[in-house]
Amino acid sequence: MKIAASPLTKKVNNVFIHVRDLHQSAEWYSQLLGLPYSQEKVVSPVYNLPVTSETGITLDDHTFDPGFKLQPSKHVLFNFYTNNIDDAYQYIKDKGIPIVREIERFDDFAYFNIQDLDGNILMICDG
């Protein structure tokens, strides 16, 4: 079977996280990632977190979409990477962020899941 060439690149360009309160979520994610936060730079309907990876993160409050109903994901949307799972776990715990799945360890990989302000599930992993 011959595979046709695709006009799509082989990378994820951006992740959208749907939120209720753009300012509150922008501050929460900025604190989580240790990013600078300026309330004046947060303008509805979207806020792009100033991450340093190729894949961007956009928070979206759907201000211009009155029919939108937020349905938080109860499944992992994506993961944040860490070099040290234990330090990351303690950091999250110290911030009072809900941990919804404790650390699970495998031979060369460990992860745990947290919940954001809107109830979305995110993973933190070291592999």
Side-chain angles (χ1 to χ4, degrees), residues 22-24 26-27 37-44 46-47:
L22 190 62
H23 287 277
Q24 192 176 37
E27 184 175 14
Y37 171 74
S38 173
Q39 186 171 351
E40 296 78 34
K41 292 184 178 183
V42 180
V43 180
S44 187
V46 298
Y47 176 70

Side-chain angles (χ1 to χ4, degrees), residues 2-19:
K2 185 176 179 179
I3 297 175
S6 174
L8 306 178
T9 60
K10 293 152 189 70
K11 73 173 195 170
V12 174
N13 187 54
N14 206 57
V15 173
F16 279 79
I17 303 171
H18 305 283
V19 301

Side-chain angles (χ1 to χ4, degrees), residues 10 12 16 23-24 26 35-36 40 48 51 58 63 65 74 84 86 90 93-94 98 106-108 118:
K10 293 152 189 70
V12 174
F16 279 79
H23 287 277
Q24 192 176 37
L35 298 170
E40 296 78 34
N48 294 308
V51 295
T58 299
T63 297
D65 186 2
K74 297 304 176 193
N84 187 311
D86 296 306
Q90 191 60 51
K93 194 172 180 182
D94 290 348
F106 302 94
D107 290 337
D108 61 349
D118 292 297

Side-chain angles (χ1 to χ4, degrees), residues 47-93:
Y47 176 70
N48 294 308
L49 289 164
V51 295
T52 58
S53 65
E54 281 189 35
T55 303
I57 302 174
T58 299
L59 305 177
D60 186 349
D61 70 4
H62 291 270
T63 297
F64 302 123
D65 186 2
F68 180 79
K69 293 186 178 164
L70 180 66
Q71 295 179 348
S73 174
K74 297 304 176 193
H75 304 283
V76 173
L77 290 174
F78 63 90
N79 71 278
F80 288 114
Y81 177 78
T82 181
N83 287 320
N84 187 311
I85 198 73
D86 296 306
D87 287 350
Y89 182 89
Q90 191 60 51
Y91 174 78
I92 294 298
K93 194 172 180 182

